[in-house]
């Protein structure tokens, strides 16, 4: 896996992981809160979710990288 391919795989992995992490720890805001939509989260905790996404995506990416580099998964003769 070249460096450009590794970066693209990491970005795609990070993006998919972000959408898996976003719904965690969401509590809807009170119905009467001014300035909030009905389904808006009370505390979105986006920085925490970005940090968790980065850590989980890095572990997944390392697994993908090890699998690609291993001789067990090879399409070359």
């Amino acid at each position: 896996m070249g460096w450009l391919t590794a970066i693209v795989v990491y970005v795609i992995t990070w993006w998919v992981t972000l959408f898996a992490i976003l719904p965690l720890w969401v509590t809807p805001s009170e119905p009467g809160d001014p300035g909030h939509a009905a389904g808006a989260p009370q505390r979105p905790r986006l920085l925490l979710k970005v940090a968790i996404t980065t850590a989980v995506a890095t572990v997944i990416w390392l697994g993908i990288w090890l699998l690609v580099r291993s001789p067990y998964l090879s399409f070359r003769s």
Side-chain angles (χ1 to χ4, degrees), residues 5-76:
T5 306
I7 290 172
V8 169
V9 169
Y10 182 78
V11 168
I12 291 171
T13 304
W14 190 90
W15 195 253
V16 170
T17 306
L18 174 67
F19 284 112
I21 299 284
L22 273 178
L24 300 178
W25 307 292
V26 173
T27 55
S29 61
E30 298 297 322
D33 283 346
H36 286 96
Q42 196 171 23
R43 291 187 55 207
R45 301 179 190 164
L46 290 178
L47 290 177
L48 174 68
K49 291 180 181 183
V50 166
I52 291 171
T53 298
T54 302
V56 171
T58 302
V59 170
I60 293 171
W61 180 83
L62 282 173
I64 293 170
W65 184 77
L66 287 173
L67 186 65
V68 168
R69 299 283 295 181
S70 73
Y72 303 115
L73 180 70
S74 179
F75 296 106
R76 297 179 181 96

